[in-house]
Amino acid sequence: MLNNWAVVPTCLPLVRRRCHACESERFRASGKFRVNAHHKLLDAWLLALCSVCEETAKLTVLERINVQSIRPELLDRLHNNDPGLIAQVLQDPAVQRRNRFSLDWEGAWRLDTGGPDGLDDEVVDVSVRFAARIPVRAVRLIADGCGLSRGEVERLIVEGRLVSGVRLGGRISGDFAFTLKR
């Protein structure tokens, strides 16, 4: 029996970026965009607040883009502070590079295993799906989902009783599957 697990976000992740005012390294998305027009050119930023001093940082989303080249629905979503667009912008690698930040997903996700059905079988096949690009240690996911310690999971990997098509030793942020042989 194939078990389907899902790694799903529970809230927006924190933004890892140094605050110029207080030297903190964590910001939270304010939930608001700022859109500014310069004649026919448009700039858009996602506003983020320092988690310590509340200093505002502007994360560039669009820079000097001709208004006519922006899809009307995107412009509407920016003006309406669409929560889905905020999550999408935060996870966009190009936006992260341009603004020199990374995401801190600690406490912002959960593992949905769908219940303990089939986890006591001799051979357990599991497919893990990520709803967002959340980097999580595979060993931690498997330990949490199967009710094992991380040490037990690492031992099972070494013994060849826990196998996968991907490397289970590091962080994973994309869909994968594994088989556990008890």
Side-chain angles (χ1 to χ4, degrees), residues 17 34 45-48 56-60 99:
R17 176 182 168 160
R34 177 164 181 225
W45 301 276
L46 173 61
L47 302 179
T56 301
K58 297 188 305 187
L59 306 176
T60 303
N99 293 283

Side-chain angles (χ1 to χ4, degrees), residues 20 42 47 54 65 69 82 99 101 104-105 112 121 124 138 142-145 149 152 156 172 175:
H20 298 291
L42 199 84
L47 302 179
E54 298 287 313
I65 304 294
S69 66
D82 183 291
N99 293 283
F101 73 86
D104 181 358
W105 283 97
D112 181 11
D121 294 347
V124 179
I142 295 168
D144 290 351
S149 72
E152 287 176 285
L156 291 168
I172 289 181
D175 300 351

Side-chain angles (χ1 to χ4, degrees), residues 20-181:
H20 298 291
C22 74
E23 300 296 319
S24 168
E25 294 188 7
R26 301 283 189 275
F27 283 78
R28 61 180 169 75
S30 71
K32 296 184 183 208
F33 288 101
R34 177 164 181 225
V35 180
N36 193 15
H38 304 277
H39 303 288
K40 292 183 181 183
L41 301 177
L42 199 84
D43 290 328
W45 301 276
L46 173 61
L47 302 179
L49 302 173
C50 175
S51 58
V52 175
C53 71
E54 298 287 313
E55 179 75 15
T56 301
K58 297 188 305 187
L59 306 176
T60 303
V61 178
L62 300 173
E63 191 169 33
R64 304 290 170 153
I65 304 294
N66 191 310
V67 174
Q68 293 178 341
S69 66
I70 299 173
R71 295 185 329 271
E73 59 272 4
L74 174 60
L75 200 51
D76 286 342
R77 291 176 77 190
L78 287 167
H79 284 299
N80 294 324
N81 298 314
D82 183 291
L85 181 59
I86 292 169
Q88 186 179 339
V89 164
L90 282 175
Q91 294 176 47
D92 185 340
V95 172
Q96 290 179 15
R97 270 191 310 279
R98 179 185 304 138
N99 293 283
R100 295 185 181 108
F101 73 86
S102 62
L103 297 177
D104 181 358
W105 283 97
E106 189 65 37
W109 62 273
R110 68 178 167 79
L111 176 63
D112 181 11
T113 61
D117 296 341
L119 291 179
D120 294 329
D121 294 347
E122 194 65 31
V123 176
V124 179
D125 290 315
V126 177
S127 173
V128 181
R129 184 185 56 80
F130 285 76
R133 291 181 38 237
I134 304 171
V136 181
R137 294 201 180 279
V139 170
R140 177 181 178 189
L141 272 183
I142 295 168
D144 290 351
C146 292
L148 302 169
S149 72
R150 292 182 196 170
E152 287 176 285
V153 172
E154 289 171 353
R155 181 180 50 80
L156 291 168
I157 292 170
V158 169
E159 293 174 357
R161 297 189 322 176
L162 179 60
V163 294
S164 177
V166 299
R167 189 175 145 264
L168 297 175
R171 292 185 184 270
I172 289 181
S173 60
D175 300 351
F176 73 102
F178 67 90
T179 301
L180 171 63
K181 302 170 193 163

